[in-house]
């Protein structure tokens, strides 16, 4: 692929926005239940096959899908425990773990699918993407990482009782101003959080100014820090005025509806497949984890400052039918050389991915809120950069990082800013 066909880093001033949601968002409630089922199966049966979907609405949870396992999972008890853990444990939030109905509609996996997977083939066809860049220490885009940090801070503050009026449901959105590919400042921060009626003004239609400032000072400023906030930064707190009715009482939830929140906040392409509730024979999940691992190691090795990886599979076929790299004009070597090195050092078949990333473990509910990537948790093998050194030696030689062909693509300011904010 020649340089003219690559997507170059954009010049000039522009704005980019990403969003996140808390663990109490209806879709995330579903993701956590579906991944909770997967964890429960893997805890006793690592060879189990799981494709679990959850639907929540006012007073009701429906868990369905196709599962083949030798163990037993009490779906009713598991769903109620997760809903209670999230914080829906009182009628004041409109949804209560103790009183909601839980319906089990799970069947067995189709034998037509199983016959292809049993031999080591992919569980379905599809295209999967991974991405990494040098905007943050975790090699992720800055807007999505800030959005996740805001939601996590909102959750931690609620659970600690610091702001006792907060409810489990919430969303964040961060718009960052860029100049020549460098993040400069926060243009707009949106934070919508479920709350009780005690912080409404006399009209009963709006959150008080005092509560709004308290949320800004307690949640937003500690996360973004002084580096990104200036006098022109806009804070939009519950822009509709109030957010008393939230969670499944206000909106239905379905597993797999937050795929952009789960990945890169819109910065990278997405193949369309969701993650939660799927065991790692489903390449929708496992190949996306491997693509992220590859992209992160390429960037960590200094081979490029930005990298997009696409892997494509056919159902029942083990080897990927397509592998694609794009370093967006920031690579020190050509993409075909990177691909060859990756094939030497990474396993790309479903069985190889499962083995290399240790995916047959009950690790998945932790992924179902606050993003699957950019988190340095011990069980997230796809976030490790243990292949960076061997890639550097293979592609650059002598263990040297080298210099980027495009000096504007190499910068540390945004990473430093996020470290300071954290």
């Amino acid at each position: 692929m020649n340089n003219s066909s690559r997507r170059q880093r954009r010049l000039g001033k522009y704005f980019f926005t990403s969003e996140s949601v808390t663990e109490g968002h209806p879709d995330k409630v579903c993701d956590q239940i579906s991944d909770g089922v997967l964890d429960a199966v893997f805890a006793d049966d690592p060879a189990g096959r799981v494709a679990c979907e959850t639907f929540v609405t006012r007073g009701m949870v429906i868990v369905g899908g196709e599962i083949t396992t030798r163990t037993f999972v009490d779906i009713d008890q598991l769903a109620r425990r997760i809903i209670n853990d999230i914080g829906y444990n009182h009628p004041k939030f409109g949804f209560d773990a103790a009183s909601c109905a839980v319906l089990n509609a799970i069947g067995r996996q189709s034998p037509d699918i199983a016959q292809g997977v049993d031999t080591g083939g992919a569980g379905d066809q599809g295209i999967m993407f991974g991405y990494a860049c040098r905007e943050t220490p975790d090699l992720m885009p800055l807007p999505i990482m800030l959005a996740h940090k805001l939601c996590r801070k909102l959750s931690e503050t609620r659970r600690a009782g610091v702001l006792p009026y907060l409810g489990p449901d919430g969303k964040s959105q961060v718009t960052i101003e860029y100049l020549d590919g460098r993040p400069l400042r926060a243009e707009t921060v949106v934070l919508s959080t479920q709350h009780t009626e005690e912080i409404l003004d006399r009209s009963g239609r709006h959150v008080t100014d005092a509560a709004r400032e308290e949320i800004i000072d307690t949640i937003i400023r500690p996360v973004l820090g002084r580096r990104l906030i200036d006098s022109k930064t806009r804070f939009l707190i519950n822009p509709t005025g109030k957010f008393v009715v939230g969670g499944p009482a206000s909106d239905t939830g379905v597993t797999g509806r937050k795929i952009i929140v789960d990945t890169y906040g819109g910065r990278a392409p997405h193949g369309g497949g969701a993650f939660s509730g799927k065991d790692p024979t489903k390449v929708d999940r496992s190949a996306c984890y491997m693509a992220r691992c590859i992209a992160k190691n390429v960037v960590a090795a200094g081979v490029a400052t930005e990298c997009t990886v696409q892997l494509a599979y056919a159902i029942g076929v083990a080897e990927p039918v397509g592998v694609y790299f794009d370093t967006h004009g920031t690579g020190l070597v050509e993409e075909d050389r990177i691909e060859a090195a990756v094939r030497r050092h990474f396993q790309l078949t479903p069985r190889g991915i499962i083995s290399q990333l240790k995916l047959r473990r009950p690790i998945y509910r932790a992924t179902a809120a606050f993003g699957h990537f950019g988190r340095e948790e011990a069980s997230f093998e796809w976030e490790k950069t243990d292949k960076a050194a061997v890639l550097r030696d293979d592609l650059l030689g002598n263990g040297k990082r080298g210099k980027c062909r495009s000096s504007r693509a190499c910068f540390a300011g945004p990473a430093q800013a996020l470290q300071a904010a954290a």
Side-chain angles (χ1 to χ4, degrees):
M1 182 171 57
N2 59 40
N3 286 339
S4 62
S5 67
R6 294 195 183 103
R7 176 176 66 82
Q8 301 291 335
R9 186 177 296 276
R10 182 173 172 178
L11 296 177
K13 184 173 76 172
Y14 60 93
F15 300 88
F16 195 87
T17 304
S18 295
E19 70 160 347
S20 184
V21 297
T22 67
E23 76 270 43
H25 186 282
D27 293 332
K28 279 294 154 193
V29 173
C30 294
D31 285 348
Q32 289 169 90
I33 293 173
S34 294
D35 273 338
V37 172
L38 175 58
D39 282 350
V41 170
F42 271 6
D44 190 49
D45 181 13
R49 299 274 174 77
V50 178
C52 182
E53 308 283 344
T54 305
F55 170 84
V56 297
T57 188
R58 184 183 296 270
M60 180 178 291
V61 181
I62 301 175
V63 184
E66 299 78 45
I67 297 178
T68 303
T69 181
R70 59 177 172 78
T71 191
F72 170 76
V73 178
D74 188 331
I75 298 296
D76 181 278
Q77 184 183 60
L78 181 144
R80 294 184 193 279
R81 175 175 56 80
I82 290 175
I83 293 165
N84 182 75
D85 288 347
I86 290 169
Y88 289 113
N89 48 26
H90 194 283
K92 68 181 179 180
F93 296 125
F95 193 74
D96 186 1
S99 61
C100 66
V102 179
L103 304 182
N104 183 347
I106 291 175
R108 292 180 63 85
Q109 184 187 51
S110 164
D112 295 345
I113 296 175
Q115 70 179 7
V117 178
D118 290 343
T119 59
D124 202 353
Q125 71 176 45
I127 55 176
M128 299 82 199
F129 289 92
Y131 179 79
C133 65
R134 286 202 170 273
E135 285 187 17
T136 71
D138 297 308
L139 305 185
M140 286 283 287
L142 183 62
I144 186 63
M145 293 305 289
L146 290 173
H148 285 326
K149 286 177 179 290
L150 286 170
C151 283
R152 188 179 285 276
K153 182 69 171 178
L154 193 61
S155 175
E156 292 171 351
T157 302
R158 170 179 64 88
R159 292 178 180 276
V162 176
L163 301 181
Y165 49 78
L166 297 178
D169 198 356
K171 304 178 77 171
S172 69
Q173 185 171 283
V174 179
T175 301
I176 296 294
E177 179 182 342
Y178 286 77
L179 180 63
D180 297 341
R182 295 172 177 259
L184 293 181
R185 53 180 292 276
E187 168 69 13
T188 304
V189 180
V190 182
L191 195 65
S192 297
T193 175
Q194 186 182 11
H195 59 85
T196 58
E197 295 184 349
E198 65 188 88
I199 61 169
L200 295 178
D201 61 17
R202 291 184 179 181
S203 73
R205 299 176 59 190
H206 300 279
V207 170
T208 64
D209 291 341
R212 185 178 293 106
E213 290 301 318
E214 188 174 41
I215 290 169
I216 291 171
D217 290 342
T218 306
I219 308 296
I220 298 177
R221 293 189 186 279
V223 169
L224 269 69
R226 296 179 180 179
R227 164 67 175 77
L228 294 170
I229 296 174
D230 61 21
S231 60
K232 295 182 180 179
T233 300
R234 291 196 304 164
F235 301 115
L236 301 178
I237 311 300
N238 288 5
T240 63
K242 65 177 182 178
F243 189 180
V244 174
V245 181
S250 66
D251 194 9
T252 60
V254 180
T255 298
R257 281 206 304 206
K258 287 293 176 283
I259 59 176
I260 301 303
V261 170
D262 285 343
T263 52
Y264 307 101
R267 177 66 68 82
H270 198 295
F275 298 158
S276 290
K278 297 178 180 178
D279 74 72
T281 65
K282 282 74 173 174
V283 285
D284 277 348
R285 182 172 217 159
S286 55
C288 279
Y289 288 177
M290 179 53 81
R292 162 64 179 172
C293 184
I294 292 169
K296 187 173 184 181
N297 276 271
V298 168
V299 172
V303 176
T305 59
E306 183 179 7
C307 183
T308 299
V309 180
Q310 183 200 64
L311 303 175
Y313 292 84
I315 189 168
V317 179
E319 292 290 341
V321 297
V323 179
Y324 167 84
F325 283 84
D326 188 353
T327 57
H328 311 285
T330 72
L332 298 180
V333 300
E334 294 300 314
E335 278 89 349
D336 58 348
R337 288 188 57 201
I338 298 175
E339 178 186 341
V342 164
R343 286 182 179 274
R344 286 192 289 272
H345 303 297
F346 291 83
Q347 301 185 54
L348 301 183
T349 66
R351 283 182 177 173
I353 293 171
I354 290 169
S355 175
Q356 184 169 329
L357 300 184
K358 304 176 184 177
L359 296 179
R360 289 197 179 277
R361 298 177 293 154
I363 60 173
Y364 293 101
R365 187 190 161 192
T367 69
F370 312 117
H372 293 244
F373 306 128
R375 296 167 57 183
E376 299 293 342
E377 301 192 26
S379 61
F380 287 30
E381 292 287 327
W382 52 92
E383 289 296 315
K384 293 183 177 180
T385 55
D386 51 348
K387 299 287 187 180
V390 69
L391 283 177
R392 186 184 309 127
D393 291 345
D394 193 332
L395 292 167
L396 303 180
N398 301 320
K400 296 180 180 179
R401 297 182 65 89
K403 295 183 179 180
C404 295
R405 288 189 301 213
S406 172
S407 61
R408 58 184 166 80
C410 298
F411 49 88
Q416 294 169 344
L418 190 59
Q419 284 177 322

